[in-house]
């Protein structure tokens, strides 16, 4: 009898490769592989590579028989022999041998013995590290993906065995990934059916990582000991390697299973693990593919838009973290998509908040407030994401985003907004307005344009200033803060914080540059627009201290950044007009507002006088401030904005030495070379359509109709009266010093008429006046044109909200039509 119970004759007749294989197995498996016979088998396999497939098949046959018989010692020897043959042979004939090898590994993985599963995994990992000369077009790893993924979820009752099997499963997945991505058929591993098994298996083990919040950047690679002992660290390392090998075409297949895992295990609330996962993703993928991940997050946010507020807030927080990393690299075409999606979900959140409030009216107040606070969390997360994303964009993209957000701000009276808020009502629209302006405030933070025209182009300036006329003080504050972000190009705003009388402005160390041509051109085109909004903003009844502080800062920043000699004169005219608001009080403002406006003018003229450094002007301002501090301290910001301030009962009895006088200012500036002719022309803002669209409750809306309903002036009397209006007549009218008092008295009578007259009388007179106005406008179109007396002999006719500009001067007989 020959070795291992085989007779000598039979052994001699067996093929040589079988005899060589049999010889490597000892009598007692404890003795291990017979190394001398293994060297012979290896030499034979290298010398006759065509025999490799037979060697492999025979080894597989023996291994299968030993597995069934639980002869695990011989199984270990067979796998060791296979490993050595794989490492020694690299010819094309190794392909059939690999099939036998993979069949044997599969047998081990299918067994219920943990040691055999680990043994098969180790052999597969060694095989995965071998670079084959030619690709295999028929080999598939579906079984191994499934089996290794199942091992990652091992729930063995013995913790040590459980950890050992999970580590084997993760290492097996890592081996599959390495083997397939280096193969020309690497695309097969990225198919959804494989990724749906691999990614959740890795994430399942990564959840065991403690202190995920500490991973705020690209973590360092784990050491070898950590890889072997900690499934979580090994899984994270494998996950990073998988994402690092992803390309343009298969990136989405690797990311989508992450969402499925987080949804299934409800990991959006709390979302620490979700944030950690996407940090790993963003740091592992190639930078140019970052926009793919952002698009997937946005798409998932759309899918989960009906979920609880905290789930949506968790997704948005993940988006914020992803954007924070992507903003440092390539964002691609997703910029507008990000903002559009976030603004859409902002509207949805407000809709949910208001619908919950309406549906829960009469129910428990606690549940209602809880839902509202949850929705506020969503809204704040959206605003933070918008602001952070926008503030990290380059200037040219940030300008586009500013325009984009401003175009979404709903305006009362306009239904063409792309962000539909019609069903939200006034309260919902106001909420949307405030949150969009808060987003815009964050986007504009730190934005410094070289020319103010780049920061405030006309298509952006008009819609930005419109909310500054609205009746909501918070909206007006946000608009002014946005304006400050764009105007303040030298970071002077912090030095101007708080409204106060500054003893020495030079101590502030204001930074400024010479006014550029672009800035001068901007003020010529849009300066009156800025003045108008500051003027009207001071007339709002609901102004609080912060409103006055922001209005003061607006005047100061305009002086620093945009003021030349001409602008300085305009700003002084504006300041005097604001003083007149408080003194005359046509709008019936509360005494606090009147004193607040007086304090605002004092603080600003004190700042302006020191900025332009005209001694006579500074002396006049200082004298008025000193007199106020003694006789009327409530006209100064340090007093009026205290919690307890004694307000005067009226301002009519105050002496002129408490006020800033136009003639004194003109005299002081004229001596220093300023052109002060325009100081004699009172500042009067032009009424535009913005007053109607902003829904201001001011009486300005009524006056802007330009209907003169005065006592004793009947419509019939005005129809017969005639007057020739010429260029010279208009010039004389402008130079008339009594024009201001006449206009003020006229406006006072109109206001009084609307406040006290019966409604039927007012309605009847308005109808008559409207018919007359219609007839007069028709006459304009029928007049015979006569050349004006000079090239500048043009005029602007204002009727209600309709403006007819640059109309040549004729002989016109309609004195009751308002002409400016």
């Amino acid at each position: 009898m020959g070795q291992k119970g085989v007779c000598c004759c039979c052994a001699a007749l067996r093929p040589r490769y079988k005899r060589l294989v049999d010889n490597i197995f000892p009598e007692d498996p404890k003795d291990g592989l017979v190394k001398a016979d293994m060297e012979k088998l290896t030499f034979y396999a290298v010398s006759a590579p065509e025999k490799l497939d037979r060697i492999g098949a025979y080894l597989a046959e023996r291994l299968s028989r030993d597995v069934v018989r639980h002869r695990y010692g011989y199984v270990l020897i067979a796998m060791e022999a296979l490993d050595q043959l794989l490492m020694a042979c690299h010819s094309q004939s190794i392909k059939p041998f690999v099939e036998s090898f993979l069949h044997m590994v599969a047998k081990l993985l299918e067994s219920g013995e943990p040691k055999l599963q680990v043994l098969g995994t180790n052999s597969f990992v060694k095989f995965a590290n071998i670079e084959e000369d030619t690709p295999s077009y028929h080999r598939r790893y579906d079984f191994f993906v499934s089996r290794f993924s199942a091992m990652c979820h091992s729930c063995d009752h013995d913790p040590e065995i459980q950890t050992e099997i999970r580590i084997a499963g993760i290492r097996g997945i890592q081996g599959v990934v390495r083997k397939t991505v280096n193969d020309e058929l690497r695309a097969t591993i990225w198919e959804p059916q494989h990724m749906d098994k691999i990614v959740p298996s890795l994430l399942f083990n990564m959840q065991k990582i403690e202190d995920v919040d500490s991973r705020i950047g690209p973590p360092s690679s784990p050491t070898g000991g950590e890889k072997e002992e900690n499934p979580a660290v090994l899984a994270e390392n494998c996950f990073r390697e998988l994402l690092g090998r992803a390309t343009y075409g298969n990136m989405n297949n690797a990311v989508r299973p992450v969402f499925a895992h987080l949804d299934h295990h409800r990991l959006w609330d709390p979302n620490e693990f979700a944030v950690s996962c996407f940090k790993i993703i963003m740091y592992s993928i190639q930078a140019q593919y970052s926009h793919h991940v952002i698009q997937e997050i946005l798409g998932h946010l759309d899918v989960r838009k009906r979920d609880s507020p905290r789930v949506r807030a968790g997704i948005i927080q993940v988006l914020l973290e992803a954007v924070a990393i992507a903003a440092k690299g390539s964002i691609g075409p997703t910029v507008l998509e990000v903002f559009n999606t976030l603004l859409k979900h902002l509207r949805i959140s407000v809709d949910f908040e208001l619908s919950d409030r309406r549906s829960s009216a009469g129910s428990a107040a606690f549940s209602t407030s809880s839902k509202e606070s949850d929705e506020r969390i969503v809204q704040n997360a959206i605003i933070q994401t918008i602001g952070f994303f926008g503030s990290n964009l380059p200037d040219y993209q940030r300008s586009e985003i500013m325009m984009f957000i401003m175009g979404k701000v709903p305006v009362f009276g306009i239904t063409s907004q792309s962000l539909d808020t019609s069903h939200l009502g006034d309260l919902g629209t106001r909420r949307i307005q405030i949150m969009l302006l808060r987003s815009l405030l964050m986007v504009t933070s730190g934005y410094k344009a070289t020319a103010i025209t780049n920061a405030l182009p006309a298509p952006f300036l008009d819609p930005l200033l419109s909310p500054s006329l609205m009746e909501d003080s918070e909206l007006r504050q946000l608009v002014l803060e946005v304006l400050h972000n764009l105007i303040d190009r030298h970071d002077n705003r912090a030095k101007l914080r708080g409204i106060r009388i500054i003893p020495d402005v030079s101590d502030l160390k204001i930074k400024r540059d010479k006014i550029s041509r672009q800035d001068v051109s901007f003020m010529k085109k849009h300066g009156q627009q800025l003045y108008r909004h500051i003027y009207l903003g001071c007339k709002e009844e609901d102004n609080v201290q912060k409103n006055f502080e922001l209005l003061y800062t607006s005047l100061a920043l305009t002086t620093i950044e945009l003021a030349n000699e001409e602008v300085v004169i305009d700003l002084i005219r504006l300041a005097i007009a604001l003083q007149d608001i408080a003194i005359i009080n046509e709008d019936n403002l509360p005494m606090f507002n009147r004193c607040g406006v007086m304090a605002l003018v004092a603080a600003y003229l004190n700042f302006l006088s020191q900025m332009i450094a005209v001694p006579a002007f500074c002396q006049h301002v200082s004298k008025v401030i000193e007199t106020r501090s003694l006789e009327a301290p409530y006209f100064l910001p340090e007093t009026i904005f205290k919690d307890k301030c004694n307000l005067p009962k009226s301002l009519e009895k105050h002496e002129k030495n408490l006020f800033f006088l136009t003639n004194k200012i003109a005299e002081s500036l004229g001596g220093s070379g300023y052109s002060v002719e325009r100081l004699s022309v009172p500042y009067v803002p032009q009424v535009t359509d913005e007053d109607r669209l902003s829904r201001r409750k001011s009486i300005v809306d009524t006056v802007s109709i330009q209907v003169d309903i005065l006592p004793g002036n009947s419509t019939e009397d005005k129809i017969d009266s005639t007057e020739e209006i010429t260029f010279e007549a208009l010039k004389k009218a402008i130079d008339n010093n009594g024009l201001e008092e006449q206009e003020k008295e006229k406006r006072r009578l109109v206001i009084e008429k609307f406040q006290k007259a019966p409604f039927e009388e007012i309605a009847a007179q308005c109808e008559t006046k409207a018919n007359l106005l219609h007839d007069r406008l028709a006459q304009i179109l029928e007049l015979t044109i006569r050349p004006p007396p000079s090239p500048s002999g043009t005029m602007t006719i204002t009727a209600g909200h309709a403006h007819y500009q640059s109309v040549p001067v004729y002989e016109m007989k309609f004195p009751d039509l308002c002409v400016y």
Side-chain angles (χ1 to χ4, degrees), residues 604-630:
Y604 173 64
L605 288 182
N606 172 71
F607 177 82
L608 176 63
S609 62
Q610 296 185 56
M611 287 296 293
I612 63 177
V614 175
F617 186 23
C618 293
Q619 184 178 1
H620 171 64
V621 173
S622 299
K623 185 176 180 181
V624 173
I625 292 175
E626 183 180 354
T627 305
R628 287 185 178 185
S629 63
L630 298 175

Side-chain angles (χ1 to χ4, degrees), residues 61 86 389 420 694:
E61 179 184 344
L86 278 174
F389 196 4
D420 183 22
S694 61

Side-chain angles (χ1 to χ4, degrees), residues 134-196:
T134 57
S136 175
Y137 294 98
H138 63 281
R139 189 185 308 154
R140 298 186 63 86
Y141 298 94
D142 300 14
F143 168 80
F144 295 99
V145 170
S146 300
R147 189 58 194 159
F148 288 137
S149 299
M151 291 169 64
C152 290
H153 293 83
S154 173
C155 296
D156 195 280
H157 62 278
D158 188 341
E160 294 184 1
I161 294 177
Q162 179 187 105
T163 300
E164 188 177 14
I165 295 177
R166 287 188 179 185
I167 289 176
I170 297 168
R171 295 181 65 241
I173 288 177
Q174 194 173 34
V176 172
V177 172
R178 290 177 178 176
K179 191 63 178 177
T180 52
V181 296
N182 291 329
D183 199 300
E184 291 186 7
L185 298 180
R186 58 186 177 275
T188 56
I189 195 63
W190 299 107
E191 293 176 358
Q193 64 265 28
H194 299 320
M195 288 291 105
D196 290 344

Side-chain angles (χ1 to χ4, degrees), residues 300-314:
H300 195 68
L301 182 60
D302 286 336
V303 172
R304 304 298 300 271
K305 64 183 179 181
R306 297 291 178 183
D307 280 33
S308 67
R310 292 188 175 275
V311 169
R312 287 181 280 127

Side-chain angles (χ1 to χ4, degrees), residues 475-489:
L475 280 173
R476 299 196 302 273
Q477 292 171 11
L478 289 170
V479 171
L480 290 174
E481 289 180 312
V482 171
L483 195 64
H484 297 169
N485 279 346
L486 298 174
I487 293 179
D488 184 20
R489 292 171 289 178

Side-chain angles (χ1 to χ4, degrees), residues 148 152 166-178 190 195 198-199 201-203 205-206 222 227 230-246 280 284:
F148 288 137
C152 290
R166 287 188 179 185
I167 289 176
I170 297 168
R171 295 181 65 241
I173 288 177
Q174 194 173 34
V176 172
V177 172
R178 290 177 178 176
W190 299 107
M195 288 291 105
I198 292 175
V199 174
S201 300
L202 298 176
L203 296 178
N205 287 275
M206 288 168 57
K227 290 181 184 180
N230 192 336
V233 175
L234 181 62
E236 180 182 327
N237 185 62
C238 182
F239 189 51
R240 290 178 180 275
E241 183 177 350
L242 175 68
L243 294 169
R245 297 173 183 270
I280 293 173
S284 300

